[in-house]
């Protein structure tokens, strides 16, 4: 039940570490660790690369496991670039569902302070939009996972302080950190997230001042993954998507019911549209713009 005082070091947590390069399929993982080979990132040339490495549910005293796995990644030549993020899941089972509304209130109060402290790169904000009062009201009316998701593109449906993960994993997922393979930066981020959840769980009122968030929590004031510059070609790709997605939405709604546009890419014979389906599977289609409008669609394999 909430509130309840819990030592932050006793909270269970998991980390999702995105990276580029290396040979993820051949990486030897510690027991319980998972390599999500389908979760590719973009390297400097735009090629899908790397993967996402996930810890099992561990506690603070187990954090040396992370150092071991980071060393193995680096030995393969893996690295973290601008396309990577770092997500921390913190277990809420010691409070149960009673902590969800207090956690939403904490997010509404200090999510911008959290984002500022973690120096979230501007181009990564699509992956961690803010919790809103509308989400809170929707959840009060209908206590389910769907009420905690935002409308929009698939990568922007889970908030920076993502409480929808409670219904999958019994956790809150904090998604603001930039990507890194630096052990110190990762454990600083984990410590901040654990202390934040413990403070909310204890019923403490948190500040909305980014300069004053870390100190009352006892968390590091700095030493988090830094923002990295985005290649010009990626900025231009994002601009193109923002222009074309509103135009293509009616076509996708007609031809692929239930699908949502994830991203666009130019290909030799048209424009590739990656569509995420309700079951989270990704389908790819190519559209060609004839003089009469966007009305041709063919499925791509692979």
């Amino acid at each position: 039940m909430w509130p309840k005082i819990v030592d932050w070091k006793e909270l269970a947590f998991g980390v999702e570490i995105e990276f580029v390069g290396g040979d993820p399929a051949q990486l030897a993982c510690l027991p319980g660790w998972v390599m999500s080979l389908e979760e590719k990132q973009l390297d400097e040339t735009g090629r899908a690369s790397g993967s996402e490495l996930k810890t099992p549910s561990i506690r603070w005293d187990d954090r040396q496991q992370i150092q071991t796995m980071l060393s193995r990644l680096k030995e393969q030549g893996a690295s973290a670039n601008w396309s990577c993020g770092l997500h921390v899941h913190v277990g809420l089972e010691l409070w149960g569902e009673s902590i969800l509304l207090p956690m939403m209130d904490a997010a509404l109060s200090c999510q911008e302070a959290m984002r500022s402290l973690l120096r979230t790169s501007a181009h990564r904000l699509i992956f961690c939009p803010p919790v809103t009062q509308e989400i809170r009201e929707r959840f009060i009316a209908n206590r389910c996972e769907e009420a905690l998701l935002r409308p929009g593109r698939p990568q922007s449906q889970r908030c920076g302080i993502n409480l929808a993960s409670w219904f999958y994993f019994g956790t809150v997922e904090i998604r603001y950190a930039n990507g890194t393979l630096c052990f110190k930066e990762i454990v600083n981020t984990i410590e901040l997230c654990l202390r934040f959840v413990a403070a909310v769980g204890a019923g403490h009122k948190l500040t909305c001042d980014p300069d004053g968030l870390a100190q009352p929590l006892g968390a590091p004031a700095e030493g988090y993954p830094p923002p990295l510059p985005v290649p010009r070609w990626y900025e231009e790709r994002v601009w193109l998507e923002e222009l074309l997605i509103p135009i293509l939405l009616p076509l996708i709604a007609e031809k692929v019911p239930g699908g949502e546009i994830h991203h666009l890419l130019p290909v030799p014979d048209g424009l590739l549209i990656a569509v995420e389906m309700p079951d989270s599977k990704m389908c790819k289609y190519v559209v060609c713009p004839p003089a009469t409008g966007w009305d041709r669609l063919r499925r791509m394999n692979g």
Side-chain angles (χ1 to χ4, degrees):
M1 294 295 293
W2 180 89
K4 179 181 181 180
I5 296 175
V6 176
D7 184 343
W8 65 270
K9 292 184 179 180
E10 296 303 315
L11 291 173
F13 68 88
V15 187
E16 299 169 350
I17 303 168
E18 297 176 350
F19 63 92
V20 293
D23 188 3
Q26 300 303 316
L27 188 76
C29 290
L30 292 172
W33 285 66
V34 175
M35 185 69 76
S36 296
L37 295 173
E38 73 284 359
E39 297 287 345
K40 301 290 187 181
Q41 317 308 319
L42 293 178
D43 67 14
E44 303 310 311
T45 69
R47 183 177 66 91
S49 173
S51 187
E52 180 181 79
L53 180 63
K54 299 176 180 177
T55 74
S57 179
I58 58 177
R59 285 180 167 78
W60 186 249
D61 286 345
D62 304 316
R63 64 190 182 281
Q64 196 59 40
Q65 290 186 30
I66 300 172
Q67 176 74 289
T68 300
M69 292 303 298
L70 291 174
S71 296
R72 294 181 185 181
L73 279 176
K74 292 174 184 177
E75 287 171 2
Q76 287 192 336
S79 61
N81 71 355
W82 50 272
S83 76
C84 301
L86 178 72
H87 303 156
V88 180
H89 285 261
V90 182
L92 302 178
E93 63 275 3
L94 295 176
W95 296 278
E97 191 171 319
S98 63
I99 198 177
L100 296 187
L101 277 176
M103 188 67 71
M104 265 181 267
D105 290 335
L108 288 167
S109 172
C110 64
Q111 59 193 344
E112 290 304 310
M114 178 75 77
R115 183 187 65 77
S116 179
L117 183 59
L118 289 173
R119 302 171 63 197
T120 312
S121 295
H123 71 279
R124 294 201 58 77
L125 294 179
I126 188 173
F127 301 102
C128 48
V131 176
T132 64
Q133 187 65 38
E134 179 186 0
I135 289 174
R136 187 184 189 279
E137 293 169 359
R138 218 166 47 219
F139 181 72
I140 291 172
N142 188 10
R143 290 178 175 255
C144 64
E145 180 253 352
E146 288 77 13
L148 295 169
L149 297 175
R150 293 173 58 102
R153 293 173 63 187
Q155 58 268 59
S156 61
Q157 291 179 351
R158 290 169 175 80
C159 298
I161 298 177
N162 172 33
L163 283 161
S165 66
W166 162 259
F167 291 93
Y168 291 108
F169 310 114
T171 67
V172 57
E173 180 192 21
I174 299 177
R175 300 169 55 86
Y176 288 117
N178 302 308
T180 183
L181 296 188
C182 171
F183 177 65
K184 183 61 174 174
E185 292 171 352
I186 291 176
V187 296
N188 282 350
T189 305
I190 293 168
E191 180 177 346
L192 171 65
C193 295
L194 293 176
R195 287 181 178 272
F196 171 77
V197 171
V200 176
H204 297 162
K205 183 173 176 60
L206 301 177
T207 178
C208 60
D209 176 10
D211 295 328
L213 180 62
Q215 183 177 3
L217 292 176
E222 54 187 18
Y224 300 107
L228 297 173
V230 180
R232 175 72 178 191
W233 62 260
Y234 180 77
E235 286 187 317
E236 292 173 349
R237 179 185 294 182
V238 172
W239 298 338
L240 181 65
E241 286 184 340
E242 290 174 349
L243 287 171
L244 291 178
I245 284 177
I247 299 171
L248 293 166
L249 279 174
L251 175 64
I252 294 302
E254 176 188 351
K255 303 290 187 180
V256 193
E260 296 178 292
I261 296 176
H262 188 277
H263 64 269
L264 309 175
L265 285 174
V267 291
D269 58 343
L271 191 68
L272 181 150
I273 308 178
V275 179
E276 187 167 313
M277 304 304 295
D279 60 3
S280 296
K281 290 183 179 178
M282 196 77 73
C283 299
K284 296 178 181 179
Y285 301 86
V286 171
V287 296
C288 303
T292 55
W294 297 87
D295 60 3
R296 299 181 186 176
L297 186 72
R298 66 175 173 83
R299 177 80 175 266
M300 280 190 66
N301 296 322

